[in-house]
Amino acid sequence: MKTIAIVATGGTIAGVGKAGKTVAYHAGEININQIIESIPMLKDLANIKEYQVLNVDSNEMNPYRWIELSKTINELLSNNNIDGVVVTHGTDTLDETAYYLTLTINSHKPVVITGAMRPASATSTDGPFNLYEAVALAIHNEAYGQGVMGVFSSTIYSGRDIQKVNNFKVDAFDQKALGCLGYMQDQEVYFYSKTFKKHTYLSRFSKQDIKELPNVGIVYFYAGASSQILYDMAHYHQGIIITGSGSGNYSQEWLKAIEDLSQQGTIFVRCSRVTQGIIFNDEIFDPHHLCIPGNTLTPQKARVLLMLSLSQTHDIDEIRHIFNEY
Ligand code: SIN
């Protein structure tokens, strides 16, 4: 039987509120061993070792906590007695942690991240079933080498592309036009596709001893938005992600600010407030190619990649290449 380490960080899966209700609860209240005890069939799947590394609402995650979490998981995976890791996490920022781990875990062994939309005390809690399927995926031979994956509502997503798309329903995750990697039915795993973007053991960031990450901020463009926010943010951020309209677009006033600040060394990435599509180079909104296209990444995922990129290089062409590869 395989051995899976469950690394718990908190979230609604560990949340407790009014008995039976879905509202007015605090995330990160109960310990992982209490959740595991509520799923007796887990022990039929794998030997489970549990590690409570945090117990927080995922809105309290930050780059320091990503660095520590990734180190813990890398250490566990380097142990020959551990076959895979399952991470329990709040759903609000799970997409960011999933991508950070995708880029920094140096192992072929599966890492599966999951959580819940309904607290442990709700009648309709979805945490135990998501955790059961996450462990079933982590022990599956076909999961080996697939990098970091997310499991929610019997659907398998890649750590790069998973995003929260609904703030109420149990089936809250998706990877939009990129579909999903596969489905699950209880402990059965059905893969249909794989990500072709570099991850985990192939990632240039997974070999790095990361101690801290440079500041990268995100700004949101809207009709009439002043460019002052860009000048203010550039004071204390090495990179700025632009959540533009349409194909990562903005006004001429913003273009002027981007041109000024690029000359002073700020690195810009263009993403979009539109939730589907791809950002390419653009001759109209970025005539001098000063902004790196964010590809299919959401702004918050592009921030993760830009932080890691800036921890290695400030060469804009190299970072542009990274955004194509990852
Ligand atoms: C959180 O992200 O920690 C709270 C929300 C959730 O887990 O669904």
Side-chain angles (χ1 to χ4, degrees), residues 188-204:
E188 302 299 331
V189 176
Y190 303 94
F191 273 113
Y192 298 98
S193 60
K194 58 169 73 174
T195 177
F196 284 88
K197 293 295 182 183
K198 280 194 174 165
H199 60 75
T200 54
Y201 57 94
L202 292 174
S203 166
R204 60 190 274 169

Side-chain angles (χ1 to χ4, degrees), residues 5 7 51 53 67-85 101 104-107 109 111 206 209:
V7 174
Y51 300 84
V53 297
I67 292 170
E68 287 310 310
L69 181 63
S70 175
K71 277 196 182 133
T72 302
I73 296 171
N74 272 320
E75 274 165 31
L76 287 168
L77 292 173
S78 67
N79 180 338
N80 289 338
N81 298 321
I82 303 274
D83 298 297
V85 166
L101 298 177
T104 59
I105 295 299
N106 188 21
S107 176
K109 294 179 187 173
V111 176
S206 64
D209 182 20

Side-chain angles (χ1 to χ4, degrees), residues 225-235 253-254 257:
S226 163
S227 62
Q228 189 58 44
I229 183 91
L230 297 172
Y231 291 102
D232 292 346
M233 191 169 266
H235 281 307
E253 181 188 324
W254 274 42

Side-chain angles (χ1 to χ4, degrees), residues 11-12 25 27 56-58 90-92 116-117 164:
T12 294
Y25 66 90
V56 295
D57 186 301
S58 77
T91 61
D92 281 354
M117 289 295 288
K164 188 171 180 178

Side-chain angles (χ1 to χ4, degrees), residues 242-250 269-282 285-286 291-299 302 323-324:
I242 302 213
T243 308
S245 59
S247 316
N249 305 336
Y250 34 73
V269 172
R270 289 170 40 239
C271 292
S272 179
R273 62 190 205 182
V274 180
T275 58
Q276 299 202 57
I278 178 166
I279 310 294
F280 297 109
N281 274 329
D282 191 283
F285 290 95
D286 185 24
C291 260
I292 297 162
N295 206 291
T296 58
L297 295 175
T298 59
F323 268 77
N324 277 328

